Structure formats: structure tokens, C-alpha cells
Amino acid sequence: MNMPRTPHPARSRNPAPATADGAPVSTGGVSAAQAADSYGFSEHTRGLLECAATLCARQGGRMTPQRRDVLGLILQADAPVGAYDLLERLRVSDRRPAPPTVYRALDFLLEHGLIHRIERLSAFVPCTHLSHEGEGDTHAHDFPASQPMQGGASACGHEHGACGVHAAQFLICRACGGVTEIADTPRILDMLRTVCREKAFTMQSASVEVEGLCATCAGRQGKADGVQGAGTEQ
Amino acid sequence: MNMPRTPHPARSRNPAPATADGAPVSTGGVSAAQAADSYGFSEHTRGLLECAATLCARQGGRMTPQRRDVLGLILQADAPVGAYDLLERLRVSDRRPAPPTVYRALDFLLEHGLIHRIERLSAFVPCTHLSHEGEGDTHAHDFPASQPMQGGASACGHEHGACGVHAAQFLICRACGGVTEIADTPRILDMLRTVCREKAFTMQSASVEVEGLCATCAGRQGKADGVQGAGTEQ
DNA sequence: TGAACGGATGTAATATTATTACATTCTTTT
DNA sequence: AAAAGAATGTAATAATATTACATCCGTTCA
């Protein structure tokens, strides 16, 4: 499982990747989508944020500064992030958001298929689909605005759209905390669709979460049982 | 979402199915497995509890009164039960358990494959496997004591044993709150096994949770949009 | 027998995650 | 410019879960 995303659920690491300059720019008058940020987002992240704003707009949603900041922090993190970690990381430059602020942003991002919630961790990760669109063609899903797709899933089993099914599969390592999204195949989702059809159940969202040991940690445990360490899954 | 009455996750319904007689019998001197209960468990439930005690014993676990009571309440409920609901229902006849009591019992039952936790509801349901053993052959899994099975899954994809993989699939209706365990096929679990093998991931537990509308509620929504009601799923 | 041990339970306090309710502000529409 | 609707701010609280430590109880074994 090659995952760029590293160790333990980033619950409380990285004090806050804030810029030296403390200007509260993200609340400025500029369009939310391209507003400057106080969080030192990488160029790559900013690119994905642009892409996300476009996707939102097509669905009739607004990528406001709050939502942008939250999504940016999730994209930037190297592990699943909890709501209260986001809250802490948002505490920069005179802003002190309260829980509802973050939860509202998270709800929006979930509804628009930009992030996933990992139930077993009560934490959030970006939808890989966004990254895939970020690299290369920015408009892979060229469905018309306000006409979200129904049913026809992309190869990775995701759909960006408030009305579509948003599903994801994760492998969660208990030793290192690494999380891998299985997005390279529609096999699992297809099977779920079949089962639901058999049961006349209308699927709206689905999650598959497998907990266990990634290749690396399983190896370690084999050698020295009980030894668990930090490290990237796989 | 307006969901007026009943079959919601049984979070706070059924005040407490206690017997008229308030004797704290379950703490008596008799063996935990066949101790009398203060909760008015049905004969069927008591049968399943017996069966569960046997399974536990084989795995070197002890079915204590606490654990028995918690499992009984979960078996008896007609919907997923939350930890704090269990806590309330246990508040009968002079006993006032605290959260750790319930969580410890739940952990035990989870480890021994007697119940499942539905992540999206933070609630617990019995493992259908237990019921299946309850009807008919009580000893379907005749693996030797202290020799839990590894890998070879039963048809429903479950394994009763602290060392085996315990996996389950659920359909959760957002309208009526009904939950259906898909246990009639190993298809999904088999596929997960395959994926994990490909990724060299050691699966220890897995959950599949699909949220949407059950057949009944989907029909209702079709007729009168927005109308969602009580009713058991399926 | 009884001391030692380990598993199980009791208890208080607290941590973590999430929501409700309502006031305010901002954006878009009219 | 007023109205409507979406988004945010704020305080309080609900719901879920864990930690830490004391006690009890059954088993083992000296």
C-alpha cells in the first residue's frame, strides 16, 4: 500500500503549519476559491482547492473561505484528521472557530464528495478522486452543471455530486495508523450495488473499512512480536 | 428528515423490560451462564445466551453475569442499541453500572464475535451467526477448544473466535432506522480478502456499511416525497 | 490453608466527538 | 434598497468513550 500519507492519524501532531505572517487574509473580500490562505498550503494543495471550487460551483455549491480552509488542511495533512484537530489548526491569526463551524464545513465537503469520513477513526481524509482530477485533466467529469450524474460510477467508485452515491474503501493499519484508500477498482462497489439491488435497497452512501496490519507492520510483528512503531503504512 | 415513531435505532425506547420482581438475581451464586435474569429475557434469548456461553467457554472466555446481561439486552432489542441505552436498561433493581462496565462487556462480546458494532450508528447488534447456531445445531462450528479457526470462513463470513477475522455487512435505512445484516453470502468478504491479499494487508476485522433507503421507505418516498416513517426495514 | 496472582468489576473523573438553538452577517435576488 | 436565503458566530450542552485507580473474586500453587 503505497501511501504518501504517513503515520498515526495526525490527530494532534504538527502544531500548525501557519505562515509567519499572521494576516487574516482568508476572510478578505476576494473570491473564496482563490483567496490567499494563512496555512501555508502547498502549490499542489492550492491546485486541488481550485479544482474543488470548480466542482462545487458546478453543483451549485459555494466554496467559501471556511470550507476552503478546512479542505486545504485535510488535503495538506498526511493522515486522517479529526474534527477537533482541524479546529485547533484553524486557530491562527485571530480566528477562533467553534465546533459547528468545522462540522458545517465538513458536512458540506462530505455532501459534495470532496472528503470521506473514516468511521472507525472519527476522522476525515480527502477523496482520492479529487487528487486524480488534480493531476492532468481537470475536468474528467464533464457532466453539465446542476445535472449530477446518477448511477454511472467512475472507475474509482466515486462520484462527485450531491445526488450521487459516494463510496470508499479503506485499509487501516492498527500498528502505524496509516490509511490507504482502495480506489483503483470498482469491484467492491459493484458487488455492493448488486447486493443492494437484490434486496431492493437504495444505496446512498457506503463505506468499507478493513482494519489490520499493513505489509510493513505485519513484517515487523512477525520478527519482534509486540513491536509497533510509527511509520508509513506499507 | 422526519422520523416520527418507532423502529429507530432503539436508542431510547422501551423503558426497561424488567420483571415485576426486583430481585437482583443475576448476581447470585449460580453459574453466570444460566443465572436467572432481571430483564425478562425470552426463552429464545435465553437459549442464545446458553449457546454464547458455550462458545465463549471454548475460547477460554468467561460469560459473566455482566456480559450475559449486556448480550441479552442486545439480543432482545429490535434495533441497534447504543452503549448508554444499555447503561440505562441495566439500571434496574439496585444496580447502577457506570460506562466502563458496559464498555468492558461490549469489548468482550466484540472480541468473541458475539456482537457487531455499527460504526455509523455507534450502536451494537447481535451477530446473526449466533442466532443461526441457536436454531438447530448448536455446535455448527466444531473447532477444538483453544484452537480458533484461521481463514476458513463460514458461509456468512463470520468467525466466532478471538483470533479470527470478524466481519459484517449492514444495510442501514436512513428513513426508518432499520438495519439488515447481509450474512447470506461470503461474496463481499471474499472480495475483501482478495484485495487485502493483493495489497499484502493482514485483515483483522472489516465492516461494510451501506446507508440508504430500504425497499419500504424508498416506496414511500416515491409516492410522497419527504414522507418518511416508522417501520421495520425489509 | 492461605498467600499470590490475574481477571473481572466498581467508581470517579475526564476526554473526545458532535449537536442544538439562536443571533448575526453576508450574498443574491427582487 | 428591501427581502430572502445561505453561511457563519457563539454559547451551551449532548452523546459517546476512556483513564486511572481501588476492590473483589476465583484459581493456582507454595
Side-chain angles (χ1 to χ4, degrees):
Chain A
M1 276 108 303
N2 334 314
M3 32 174 266
R5 186 167 289 149
T6 16
H8 286 192
R11 312 314 282 258
S12 287
R13 303 186 312 128
N14 294 340
T19 50
D21 126 77
V25 244
S26 68
T27 25
V30 266
S31 155
Q34 61 262 14
D37 65 75
S38 319
Y39 305 100
F41 292 148
S42 68
E43 192 168 340
H44 180 236
T45 297
R46 288 200 302 275
L48 294 179
L49 288 173
E50 281 289 326
C51 178
T54 306
L55 285 167
C56 276
R58 286 196 205 162
Q59 296 170 26
R62 288 162 51 195
M63 181 58 89
T64 66
Q66 295 289 358
R67 294 162 177 175
R68 200 190 103 105
D69 290 350
V70 169
L71 179 55
L73 288 172
I74 292 172
L75 284 166
Q76 197 83 330
D78 57 355
V81 201
Y84 277 72
D85 280 312
L86 288 168
L87 212 43
E88 246 178 51
R89 295 180 194 194
L90 287 169
R91 290 200 197 299
V92 293
S93 57
D94 86 352
R95 300 183 56 194
R96 301 261 140 188
T101 301
V102 164
Y103 280 103
R104 282 191 283 236
L106 289 170
D107 285 346
F108 175 90
L109 297 171
L110 285 168
E111 275 169 16
H112 291 264
L114 299 169
I115 62 173
H116 292 289
R117 177 188 158 91
I118 300 186
E119 300 293 338
R120 292 190 174 208
L121 303 178
S122 294
F124 303 83
V125 292
C127 173
T128 55
H129 197 170
L130 183 57
S131 296
H132 292 165
E133 296 206 0
E135 317 158 347
D137 184 3
T138 307
H139 299 143
H141 283 295
D142 213 359
F143 49 84
S146 307
Q147 278 284 37
M149 12 192 288
Q150 293 275 8
S154 62
C156 63
H158 301 149
E159 292 181 21
H160 281 272
C163 300
V165 169
H166 203 239
Q169 298 89 43
F170 297 101
L171 302 183
I172 304 163
C173 179
R174 280 179 170 148
C176 69
V179 169
T180 304
E181 181 173 355
I182 312 170
D184 59 336
T185 163
R187 280 180 298 174
I188 296 170
L189 188 55
D190 281 349
M191 178 153 293
L192 286 180
R193 278 189 222 283
T194 302
V195 171
C196 287
R197 200 176 311 120
E198 287 169 10
K199 308 252 180 201
F201 188 93
T202 306
M203 182 179 355
Q204 291 176 339
S205 85
S207 55
V208 174
E209 301 184 7
V210 179
E211 276 188 289
L213 297 174
C214 69
T216 307
C217 293
R220 277 198 196 122
Q221 287 232 332
K223 288 179 204 164
D225 198 33
V227 172
Q228 305 175 343
T232 302
E233 176 162 337
Q234 151 73 308
Chain B
M1 293 245 295
N2 25 346
M3 346 205 274
R5 20 172 196 239
T6 29
H8 254 215
R11 311 316 280 254
S12 288
R13 302 186 311 126
N14 292 343
T19 51
D21 126 79
V25 243
S26 67
T27 26
V30 268
S31 155
Q34 62 262 15
D37 63 76
S38 320
Y39 305 100
F41 293 147
S42 69
E43 192 168 341
H44 180 235
T45 296
R46 288 201 302 274
L48 294 179
L49 288 173
E50 281 288 326
C51 177
T54 306
L55 286 167
C56 275
R58 286 195 204 162
Q59 296 169 27
R62 286 163 54 195
M63 180 59 90
T64 65
Q66 295 289 358
R67 293 163 177 173
R68 199 190 104 104
D69 290 350
V70 169
L71 178 56
L73 287 172
I74 292 174
L75 284 166
Q76 198 83 328
D78 58 353
V81 201
Y84 277 72
D85 281 311
L86 288 169
L87 214 41
E88 246 177 49
R89 295 180 194 193
L90 287 170
R91 291 200 197 300
V92 293
S93 58
D94 86 351
R95 299 183 57 193
R96 300 261 140 189
T101 300
V102 165
Y103 281 103
R104 282 191 284 235
L106 290 170
D107 285 345
F108 175 89
L109 297 171
L110 285 169
E111 276 168 18
H112 288 78
L114 298 169
I115 61 173
H116 292 289
R117 178 189 157 91
I118 300 185
E119 299 292 338
R120 292 191 173 205
L121 303 177
S122 294
F124 303 83
V125 292
C127 173
T128 54
H129 197 171
L130 183 57
S131 295
H132 293 162
E133 296 206 2
E135 317 159 347
D137 184 2
T138 307
H139 300 144
H141 284 294
D142 213 0
F143 48 86
S146 309
Q147 279 284 36
M149 16 190 287
Q150 293 276 4
S154 63
C156 62
H158 301 150
E159 294 181 19
H160 280 274
C163 299
V165 169
H166 203 239
Q169 298 88 44
F170 297 101
L171 302 183
I172 305 162
C173 179
R174 281 178 169 148
C176 68
V179 168
T180 303
E181 181 172 355
I182 313 170
D184 58 336
T185 162
R187 280 181 297 174
I188 295 171
L189 187 57
D190 281 349
M191 177 153 294
L192 287 180
R193 278 189 221 281
T194 302
V195 171
C196 288
R197 200 177 309 121
E198 287 169 10
K199 308 254 181 200
F201 187 93
T202 307
M203 182 180 353
Q204 291 176 340
S205 85
S207 55
V208 174
E209 300 184 6
V210 178
E211 275 188 289
L213 298 174
C214 69
T216 307
C217 293
R220 279 199 193 121
Q221 286 231 333
K223 289 179 203 163
D225 199 32
V227 172
Q228 304 170 344
T232 300
E233 175 161 340
Q234 299 287 358

